[in-house]
Amino acid sequence: MSDLILHHYPTSPFAEKVRLILGYKQLAWKSVLIPMIMPKPDLTALTGGYRKTPVLQIGADIYCDTALIGDVLEHLAPAPAIYPDAVKGAARIVAQWADSALFTASMAYNFQPAGVAQVFAGAPAEGVQAFVADRTAMRGGAARMASADATGTYKSYLRRIASMLREQDFLFGAQPCVADFAAYHPLWFTQERTPALAGILDATPEVKSWMARMKVIGHGSPGKCSAEEALQMARNARPVALQGEVFQDEHGIALGSQVEIAADNFGLEPTEGELIAATRTRYTLRRSDDRAGTVQVHFPRVGFTLKKVSP
């Protein structure tokens, strides 16, 4: 198997989710650091447009969105499982809630003035302005939740998580599952990046104890890799052969069509390519780039839109 390469930056909450899963499964991986904001020319050479963090690269196969990355890592290292059979459906539902509703409320809370001062301590004003403009563009111009509304919502969500943790170490039992990794990363940002605001966690001691258990999982032992080395690995590799059922038609778009795939609500930059698979759970595009060569870019179905490109 080719090296696992994670394209990320240290303060990304969603990257922390994947770093912990890699640590939990004790998988060796290489770290490519990417910019926090656009442009990200080395990353988009691989993805064709998708810009969200993180992205997993395995040779010439590029995996977008942490929900799909979790599935890929589970396939590569089934034990310890993050999708245990007994709770698989419920764990996925909680993870999807955590990656959307919980994340949205927590980040709106975190980015009130006291949090902004800590996140951008020492940064020039133009850097802060560039970050704000970048994230506004990612939301498609939609307003961020007001901090007062976010505070009340976040407190309610923390109480719900605490309720799930009564008399057990993790959200669904004695071992962590995908729901734990998804629920942890927004709270990690509060605790680690905006500690001036972390007092919100004090009312739920069960949550704080659980966070301590999650933190000790760690990230394993990542190695370093430059962006150019990652691009060279993609150029030198051959995309994996797709196996099993590769087509479940929900759009009336045939395999081999030129299509665009984009997230449906955040980070809307599309990726264009040839549709070579549309399975029950994912889409796969084939595309070529002067720097990355021929790659396969994979997306989950849930949370993404597919449309045909007009000739």
Side-chain angles (χ1 to χ4, degrees):
M1 184 184 73
S2 299
D3 291 330
L4 301 178
I5 302 173
L6 190 69
H7 298 259
H8 68 124
Y9 59 87
T11 59
S12 162
F14 279 97
E16 180 66 10
K17 173 186 174 183
V18 174
R19 292 187 295 252
L20 275 184
I21 294 173
L22 287 162
Y24 184 57
K25 290 183 172 293
Q26 299 183 8
L27 287 166
W29 58 286
K30 292 187 175 181
S31 169
V32 175
L33 297 181
I34 64 175
M36 290 176 61
I37 64 174
M38 291 292 271
K40 303 182 181 184
D42 298 324
L43 180 70
T44 55
L46 292 166
T47 66
Y50 180 87
R51 53 75 49 92
K52 294 198 287 184
T53 307
V55 166
L56 179 68
Q57 175 188 351
I58 307 177
D61 285 85
I62 313 301
Y63 298 93
C64 302
D65 194 88
T66 61
L68 177 56
I69 292 170
D71 288 348
V72 171
L73 297 179
E74 185 84 339
H75 176 75
L76 293 175
I82 62 170
Y83 302 101
D85 287 340
V87 298
K88 185 184 297 184
R92 285 186 183 276
I93 289 170
V94 171
Q96 187 176 13
W97 163 81
D99 284 343
S100 53
L102 175 62
F103 177 80
T104 297
S106 68
M107 297 309 283
Y109 171 82
N110 294 332
F111 277 86
Q112 59 185 288
V116 169
Q118 290 193 309
V119 170
F120 296 106
E126 56 269 25
V128 179
Q129 293 167 357
F131 179 87
V132 171
D134 182 81
R135 293 309 190 263
T136 300
M138 287 186 75
R139 296 195 303 274
R144 183 185 291 278
M145 183 186 297
S147 61
D149 297 329
T151 300
T153 301
Y154 197 12
K155 287 178 178 178
S156 293
Y157 288 167
L158 290 170
R159 290 193 297 269
R160 294 175 191 180
I161 295 170
S163 178
M164 295 180 71
L165 291 166
R166 289 187 188 127
E167 300 182 4
Q168 59 186 22
D169 285 345
F170 298 98
L171 294 180
F172 283 90
Q175 303 296 327
C177 66
V178 68
D180 295 275
F181 295 100
Y184 174 76
H185 72 86
L187 281 59
W188 164 85
F189 194 94
T190 303
Q191 189 174 67
E192 300 293 331
R193 299 296 301 148
T194 59
L197 301 174
I200 196 171
L201 303 170
D202 292 343
T204 50
E206 301 95 337
V207 171
K208 292 184 74 173
S209 296
W210 164 77
M211 291 181 72
R213 290 189 287 273
M214 292 296 295
K215 184 174 182 177
V216 298
I217 291 171
H219 303 156
S221 301
K224 294 182 179 180
C225 182
S226 71
E228 189 52 52
E229 288 171 331
L231 286 163
Q232 183 176 348
M233 290 181 196
R235 288 195 302 272
N236 293 341
R238 180 174 298 177
V240 297
L242 302 177
Q243 298 178 346
E245 178 58 51
V246 297
F247 192 49
Q248 177 177 305
D249 184 16
E250 308 289 358
H251 297 79
I253 299 175
L255 294 183
S257 300
Q258 283 294 121
V259 299
E260 283 186 350
I261 293 177
D264 61 10
N265 65 357
F266 186 71
L268 307 178
E269 292 83 354
T271 292
E272 182 176 337
E274 178 191 355
L275 183 66
I276 61 172
T279 73
R280 291 184 304 110
T281 60
R282 69 175 74 174
Y283 301 116
T284 300
L285 302 185
R286 179 188 292 122
R287 56 176 307 277
S288 294
D289 180 271
D290 290 342
R291 300 177 66 204
T294 298
V295 297
Q296 291 177 165
V297 189
H298 308 267
F299 300 87
R301 271 190 184 260
V302 175
F304 286 80
T305 62
L306 171 72
K307 67 177 184 179
K308 193 170 184 178
V309 175
S310 301

